[in-house]
Amino acid sequence: MTRTTADVTFLRGYNQALVMAVGRTARTFERSTVVNATGLTPQAVSKVIARLTADGLIRSAGVRRASVGKPAMVYELVPDSRYAIGAHVARRTLRLVLVDLAGTVHHSAVSPLPGDFTPEQLLHTLKSGVDAISSGNDLRGRLTGVGLGMIGPLDHQHGLVRDAHGLRHWHDVPLRELAEAYLGLPVHLDKDVAAGITAEAWRHGGTFGDAALIMVESGIGGGFWLGGAAHRGAHTNAGEFGHTVVDLDGPLCVCGRHGCLEIVHNQAADAGDIPRAARVLAIGVVNLLQTLDLAHVVLAGADLLRHADTYLAAVERAVRADARRRDWLSTDVALSSLGADAIAAGAAMQVLDEHYGIPDLAPLSNSTPSLPQRTGRWRASLMLEG
């Protein structure tokens, strides 16, 4: 493939993703809606709409008859045209969900995992669950792939689980490759908290600024949404929030350090002192806010959600008490809108993002359109190429 052909193919995919983004944001839309939101030319938008309609991803929803000028064709997303399955691999359970192109969860199921499970045991449980969802829902080729939200540390880029905390059999396991061979489907592997924060970003849309998802489930992790994307770090291992030290002389943690947030929290929780455990977590959250200056903190995870009110109140109190200038340093604290499905749903959404991603959009209004911040050559190419 020549460089020119590669560029054209990439731009077509990117432009299609822009139109898909409008379809997910607006219940119905016209060609002019896409033009205003993306900065693409009307001619380019017409080409993209034709391709997406032919692929069954969008469809006509009638016409709008204005008082002046020609009637405008109205379009809408076809949510059930594509699906993805998402998996949340925890230390005790495997949760699977089925998610459509609009991000709606249609099916959720939990299976137990053996203690200290092996890769083979996980793959067997995963295949059984995926087969059950596929046969129980008439997907007929609309299944895009499977996303795995896995315990870290892991190497997202190479699909490797490096040394999953608390699991002895997971040293440099090529889970993505193994799962693809086992399932016969494309597989996307990411850290559980990175998948979770992706789900929250989908739910909040363009209003979601820099944010963190704090998950408490067997361990403690943090997923970060920074600059409009999931932040994975230089080695794709960002998110080990529970292994930041809060007590220099504290107990030995599974990671080998002393006094990690996770072990101090877990000791309080195991003793039944949930209010103290929540206060420990809140201290960690405030430390995180001082470091990253976040607009949103989302609380998630099965262990946290069992005592949701206690954790939410403790974190909110700590954030309010620590705010030096509440008039401009403010952070919204909330529970995950997806509850226990957050990680699995986010893993499925990441699969859909790979094929039908959501670039940033200008506001869906009649205001002057603005393009994504790229080079001048990029902007010109976007406007010229359909």
Side-chain angles (χ1 to χ4, degrees):
M1 182 182 290
T2 65
R3 174 62 184 270
T4 302
T5 303
D7 285 348
V8 169
T9 301
F10 171 76
L11 288 172
R12 283 178 177 169
Y14 187 85
N15 291 355
Q16 288 184 185
L18 286 170
V19 177
M20 291 295 292
V22 175
R24 287 175 177 161
T25 306
R27 189 175 65 84
T28 59
F29 61 94
E30 305 165 21
R31 186 179 70 166
S32 61
T33 313
V34 180
V35 170
N36 287 340
T38 65
L40 297 173
T41 65
Q43 294 82 1
V45 172
S46 294
K47 291 180 182 179
V48 174
I49 286 177
R51 285 199 293 267
L52 293 177
T53 302
D55 289 341
L57 299 169
I58 64 174
R59 63 192 171 204
S60 171
V63 296
R64 180 184 62 82
R65 300 188 181 279
S67 56
V68 179
K70 293 182 178 179
M73 184 68 71
V74 179
Y75 299 92
E76 63 183 2
L77 189 73
V78 184
D80 62 358
S81 61
R82 301 292 188 276
Y83 289 93
I85 293 174
H88 176 193
V89 184
R91 290 192 179 93
R92 302 182 295 257
T93 59
L94 174 68
R95 179 180 293 270
L96 295 177
V97 301
L98 179 68
V99 176
D100 70 19
L101 195 55
T104 302
V105 176
H106 289 273
H107 175 91
S108 178
V110 181
S111 300
L113 288 171
D116 197 21
F117 58 87
T118 65
E120 291 76 16
Q121 288 171 324
L122 173 62
L123 289 168
H124 176 75
T125 306
L126 176 64
K127 189 174 190 311
S128 296
V130 169
D131 288 346
I133 291 175
S134 302
S135 60
N137 297 273
D138 187 16
L139 299 182
R140 289 180 299 183
R142 293 171 291 166
L143 186 58
T144 306
V146 176
L148 304 180
M150 176 69 185
I151 304 162
L154 60 77
D155 183 335
H156 165 74
Q157 182 177 357
H158 297 101
L160 298 172
V161 180
R162 290 298 187 186
D163 286 288
H165 288 311
L167 296 174
R168 292 179 301 146
H169 308 288
W170 290 84
H171 175 71
D172 291 348
V173 175
L175 180 57
R176 182 177 65 202
E177 179 183 341
L178 291 173
E180 285 184 340
Y182 216 80
L183 300 174
L185 290 166
V187 171
H188 177 98
L189 174 67
D190 208 344
K191 189 174 279 191
D192 47 14
V193 286
I197 196 64
T198 300
E200 294 299 325
W202 267 52
R203 283 298 178 101
H204 287 81
T207 63
F208 205 52
D210 288 352
L213 177 133
I214 306 301
M215 186 179 75
V216 182
E217 184 164 339
S218 301
I220 297 177
F224 308 114
W225 190 262
L226 304 177
H231 174 74
R232 297 184 177 90
H235 306 94
T236 70
N237 193 48
E240 297 297 317
F241 172 60
H243 299 291
T244 55
V245 174
V246 294
D247 183 355
L248 292 177
D249 300 315
L252 179 66
C253 182
V254 67
C255 73
R257 297 184 183 88
H258 284 268
C260 287
L261 174 70
E262 180 174 299
I263 188 64
V264 175
H265 166 276
N266 286 357
Q267 283 195 343
D270 292 344
D273 192 350
I274 301 302
R276 175 172 172 77
R279 291 196 299 272
V280 172
L281 185 74
I283 289 171
V285 170
V286 170
N287 290 342
L288 190 61
L289 295 180
Q290 293 288 1
T291 304
L292 293 178
D293 183 19
L294 302 171
H296 304 275
V297 171
V298 181
L299 305 178
D303 294 342
L304 184 149
L305 293 174
R306 279 195 287 271
H307 309 280
D309 292 343
T310 301
Y311 278 96
L312 180 60
V315 175
E316 285 180 331
R317 277 195 304 270
V319 170
R320 286 197 305 268
D322 198 70
R324 300 292 182 258
R325 287 287 306 278
R326 293 188 196 130
D327 56 333
W328 68 282
L329 286 175
S330 62
T331 300
D332 175 67
V333 180
L335 299 173
S336 171
S337 60
L338 283 159
D341 288 334
I343 306 302
M349 292 169 188
Q350 287 180 328
V351 172
L352 295 170
D353 267 349
E354 284 196 333
H355 296 270
Y356 316 106
I358 312 179
D360 291 337
L361 293 175
L364 294 180
S365 67
N366 293 323
S367 60
T368 301
S370 62
L371 286 169
Q373 295 302 306
R374 305 291 188 228
T375 64
R377 177 178 176 275
W378 176 278
R379 287 196 293 269
S381 298
L382 283 176
M383 296 182 71
L384 290 171
E385 176 57 50

